[in-house]
């Protein structure tokens, strides 16, 4: 993989809208959320998905915001199904009823992922700021299973719910989910704004890992548990989206195509719009996609590291945020000269006020 030979992508994260019923403080959407009048119309998304199929895309993750707020969702799912592209709906589930699930299943939806802000009703309501949200999510999950669609329970983990990891596992089992994603919050967008209220202490993180490892062993063949480790306590970073513009990318509600959901935080990059520029041209020739693709751009210690084609230097957006240089080694890596600083920052932030949060909202960040 290099800038001159990008290969073919296999996946797209399609954020159809930034609108959402919930106001979660850990949301990875940008602080400047796009209003409904900035969203692409049905025809534009259909064209993008047709181009994606032509490009060889195998799977599209339909996200937001809350994608079920789009009335054209069944039509978009049907477009993907007709072209043989696997579709995964990522939803909060609070507006999903049996009728909607049945309609999406008929349209050809392949999989549903429902996020739970807490394993307890009171936690879900406190974090998402919607009364009765937990019961609505449970009903949506049951409707998914009754429609014989595969279900993933997504549990975004942070200091406000990290003590519920065992309960999340029980919840996934009770709902008959195929997968549980224990996903420690990544600090971009609203989560970065609220980092001091969300960062868990190291001892809580270590307890969480022990619980997950034990459950993986005990539930092998029953429940697949994916674990997204917390970057700030890592020894080595994760490959950003599998590597910058290596096999996947994302598209925002207004059509902006980016290698990952946080890439807009890198100020010197300019991103093209998939409603105006052919998708194939963006993937193969966009300077922003080529900027950190492969390994040629790397500095030491990444350039000479034996892991350079495993984690591809880690997250470019995190390097930008913490090192001030998108080409720097991700400070989450123990080989980064800034690794000690990120560990100290994690410890400092984990002592912050857990209730001092700004809730996700189009137009303004609302205090708790």
């Amino acid at each position: 993989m290099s800038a001159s030979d990008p290969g073919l992508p296999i996946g797209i994260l399609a954020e159809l809208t930034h609108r959402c019923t919930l106001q979660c403080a850990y949301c990875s959407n940008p602080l400047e959320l796009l209003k409904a009048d900035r969203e692409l119309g049905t025809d534009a998304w259909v064209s993008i998905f047709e181009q994606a199929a032509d490009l060889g895309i195998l799977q599209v993750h339909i996200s937001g915001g809350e994608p079920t707020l789009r009335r054209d969702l069944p039509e978009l799912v049907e477009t993907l199904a007709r072209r043989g592209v696997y579709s995964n709906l990522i939803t909060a589930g609070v507006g999903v009823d049996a009728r909607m699930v049945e309609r999406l299943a008929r349209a050809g939806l392949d999989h549903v992922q429902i996020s739970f802000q807490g394993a307890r009703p009171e936690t879900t309501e406190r974090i998402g700021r919607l009364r009765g949200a937990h019961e609505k999510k449970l009903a949506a999950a049951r409707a998914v299973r009754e429609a014989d669609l595969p279900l993933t329970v997504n549990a975004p983990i942070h200091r406000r719910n990290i003590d519920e990891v065992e309960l999340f596992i029980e919840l996934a089992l009770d709902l008959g989910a195929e997968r549980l994603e224990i996903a420690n919050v990544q600090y971009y967008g609203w989560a970065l704004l609220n980092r001091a209220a969300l960062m868990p202490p190291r001892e809580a993180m270590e307890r969480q890992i022990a619980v997950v490892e034990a459950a993986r062993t005990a539930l092998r063949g029953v429940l697949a548990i994916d674990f997204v480790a917390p970057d700030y306590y890592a020894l080595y970073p994760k490959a950003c989206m599998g590597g910058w513009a290596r096999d996947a990318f994302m598209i925002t509600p207004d059509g902006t195509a980016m290698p990952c959901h946080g890439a807009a935080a890198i100020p010197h990059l300019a991103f093209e719009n998939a409603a105006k520029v052919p998708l194939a041209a963006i993937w193969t020739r966009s300077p922003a996609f080529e900027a950190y693709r492969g390994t040629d751009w790397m500095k030491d210690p990444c350039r000479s590291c034996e892991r350079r084609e495993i984690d591809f230097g880690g997250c470019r957006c995190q390097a930008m945020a913490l090192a001030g240089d998108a080409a720097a080694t991700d400070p989450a890596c123990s080989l980064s000269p800034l690794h000690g600083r990120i560990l100290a920052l994690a410890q400092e932030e984990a002592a912050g006020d857990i209730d001092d949060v700004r809730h996700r909202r189009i137009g303004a960040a609302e205090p708790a």
Side-chain angles (χ1 to χ4, degrees):
M1 169 71 62
S2 66
S4 60
D5 181 21
L8 294 176
I10 62 172
I12 291 178
L13 174 65
E15 293 185 345
L16 302 186
T17 180
H18 279 163
R19 292 173 286 147
C20 187
T21 312
L22 304 183
Q23 298 180 28
C24 304
Y26 61 80
C27 184
S28 62
N29 284 161
L31 299 184
E32 293 186 23
L33 298 166
L34 300 175
K35 297 181 179 180
D37 61 358
R38 299 276 304 277
E39 296 172 12
L40 295 181
T42 305
D43 290 345
W45 276 114
V46 168
S47 175
I48 288 171
F49 288 159
E50 293 278 5
Q51 292 179 61
D54 292 340
L55 190 57
I57 292 292
L58 300 178
Q59 54 192 358
V60 170
H61 303 277
I62 303 169
S63 182
E66 178 47 61
T68 61
L69 293 175
R70 293 276 306 214
R71 295 182 179 180
D72 57 357
L73 182 58
E75 182 177 348
L76 300 181
V77 168
E78 188 174 11
T79 298
L80 294 170
R82 176 171 48 80
R83 294 302 307 272
V85 178
Y86 185 94
S87 57
N88 173 35
L89 175 64
I90 303 173
T91 174
V94 295
V96 177
D97 58 19
R99 179 180 295 183
M100 178 183 290
V101 172
E102 290 170 4
R103 188 178 179 193
L104 291 172
R106 287 197 303 271
L109 184 66
D110 291 297
H111 183 273
V112 179
Q113 176 175 312
I114 299 180
S115 61
F116 280 78
Q117 285 65 46
R120 300 184 178 100
E122 58 271 23
T123 308
T124 299
E125 291 188 10
R126 178 166 58 92
I127 294 173
R129 302 188 86 196
L130 180 67
R131 188 179 299 277
H134 198 79
E135 290 72 19
K136 293 176 181 178
K137 291 170 180 288
L138 293 176
R142 292 180 182 120
V144 169
R145 296 304 296 125
E146 288 171 5
D148 203 28
L149 285 171
L151 171 68
T152 290
V153 169
N154 173 249
I157 301 297
H158 44 82
R159 182 152 50 109
R160 307 178 99 201
N161 67 1
I162 197 169
D163 63 332
E164 299 183 12
V165 170
E166 289 176 297
L167 296 178
F168 276 120
I169 296 170
E170 293 177 11
L171 176 65
L173 290 170
D174 290 343
L175 291 173
E178 279 79 10
R179 288 178 61 249
L180 168 64
E181 186 174 271
I182 301 292
N184 284 266
V185 164
Q186 309 298 294
Y187 293 98
Y188 314 103
W190 292 82
L192 181 59
L193 178 69
N194 290 299
R195 186 175 57 191
L198 299 174
M199 181 71 68
R202 175 180 283 277
E203 55 271 21
M205 181 270 296
E206 291 174 346
R207 287 196 303 270
Q208 171 198 211
I209 291 175
V211 168
V212 171
E213 288 181 347
R216 277 176 159 174
T217 299
L219 297 173
R220 184 174 291 116
V222 177
L223 176 68
I225 303 178
D226 292 340
F227 181 69
V228 180
D231 282 348
Y232 283 42
Y233 293 113
L235 285 178
Y236 300 109
K238 296 182 294 295
C240 175
M241 295 281 285
W244 180 277
R246 182 171 180 265
D247 57 23
F249 59 101
M250 66 87 63
I251 300 175
T252 68
D254 67 354
T256 303
M258 300 190 295
C260 73
H261 58 268
I266 302 177
H268 63 271
L269 297 181
F271 302 100
E272 295 169 301
N273 193 293
K276 301 175 182 178
V277 179
L279 212 55
I282 293 175
W283 178 256
T284 58
R285 298 195 296 272
S286 168
F289 277 53
E290 294 176 348
Y292 304 108
R293 177 180 266 153
T295 59
D296 292 346
W297 58 272
M298 290 180 176
K299 306 175 181 179
D300 279 327
C302 291
R303 180 185 294 274
S304 56
C305 181
E306 61 183 15
R307 294 180 55 87
R308 63 184 176 276
E309 294 189 8
I310 297 174
D311 53 42
F312 294 94
C315 177
R316 300 302 88 226
C317 309
Q318 193 154 263
M320 186 73 236
L322 298 175
D325 178 8
T329 301
D330 184 343
C333 181
S334 56
L335 301 177
S336 165
L338 298 178
H339 188 63
R341 186 183 302 177
I342 196 175
L343 291 177
L345 176 61
Q347 183 176 0
E348 177 184 345
E349 296 284 63
D353 184 351
I354 197 170
D355 293 318
D356 184 16
V357 295
R358 296 295 182 269
H359 291 281
R360 178 198 190 280
R361 182 179 176 185
I362 291 180
E366 291 292 321

